[in-house]
Amino acid sequence: MSNVNIVFTRVDNRLVHGQVGNVWVTASGANLILVVDDEVCKDSLQQSLMKMTADSVGVKIRFFSVQKTIDIIGKAAPSQKIFIVAKTPFVIEELVKNGVPIKSCNIGNMHKSEGKEIFHEVHVYTDKNDIDCFERLKNMGVDVYIQITPNDRKYVV
């Protein structure tokens, strides 16, 4: 599976939106956005909204569950430059634990919710479980960092 061409991985509660489509896809050189989410892969309305963003920047988009991603990502063509996006770092951790060759993970937006405290500026809210997940990812060799847009400073977690 090490031949899989994953060019960018991002945690963003919003999944695919203008910032991901217009800024990160361009900066990463991706030609395929892979949304890894067990709920969205079954929700055609959310998919159609995200597909509009992908279409506007001329890239393909796929919606897979965590397990489907683990099962088939190794079959990706070398020409596919894959941008993985998930809502939580726990999804990324599950992928890595199951052999998906993710080398780095950009932490984008993690919204404020009950029990979450500000971790970085105004975009990343975490609890102890999130921070522990970041540490586990780092221990598995994943470079975990916060960077809201490519022009912003990169903060190593």
Side-chain angles (χ1 to χ4, degrees):
M1 196 181 307
S2 62
N3 292 334
V4 177
N5 194 4
I6 299 170
V7 297
F8 195 69
T9 302
R10 181 174 170 92
V11 171
D12 193 319
N13 291 138
R14 303 168 296 173
L15 296 173
V16 178
H17 52 88
Q19 187 180 76
V20 164
N22 295 317
V23 179
W24 284 112
V25 168
T26 301
S28 68
N31 60 18
L32 172 66
I33 300 171
L34 176 55
V35 177
V36 183
D37 190 273
D38 289 343
E39 293 173 12
V40 171
C41 71
K42 301 174 196 166
D43 186 331
S44 59
L45 177 59
Q46 285 190 65
Q47 290 177 23
S48 65
L49 294 171
M50 289 184 232
K51 187 176 182 323
M52 286 191 299
T53 299
D55 289 347
S56 74
V57 293
V59 298
K60 303 254 186 236
I61 190 166
R62 301 286 182 272
F63 304 92
F64 291 170
S65 67
V66 174
Q67 190 59 54
K68 183 172 182 178
T69 302
I70 292 164
D71 292 344
I72 71 168
I73 198 163
K75 298 175 184 175
S79 61
Q80 291 177 306
K81 298 174 186 169
I82 303 170
F83 179 137
I84 293 176
V85 62
K87 287 182 182 176
T88 72
F90 303 101
V91 170
I92 305 306
E93 179 184 22
E94 190 65 22
L95 296 176
V96 173
K97 282 193 324 193
N98 285 279
V100 177
I102 294 171
K103 302 294 180 213
S104 65
C105 182
N106 168 262
I107 306 299
N109 288 290
M110 291 177 64
H111 292 150
K112 185 174 185 172
S113 62
E114 190 167 331
K116 305 266 183 173
E117 299 290 331
I118 188 80
F119 184 77
H120 175 74
E121 294 179 358
V122 296
H123 300 285
V124 179
Y125 289 81
T126 61
D127 59 20
K128 181 178 181 340
N129 293 329
D130 296 316
I131 294 168
D132 290 347
C133 184
F134 296 159
E135 287 303 314
R136 289 189 302 271
L137 282 166
K138 291 182 343 186
N139 290 337
M140 290 187 280
V142 178
D143 175 29
V144 181
Y145 63 95
I146 297 168
Q147 188 175 24
I148 305 306
T149 70
N151 293 328
D152 291 327
R153 184 170 173 240
K154 190 177 188 179
Y155 297 89
V156 176
V157 173

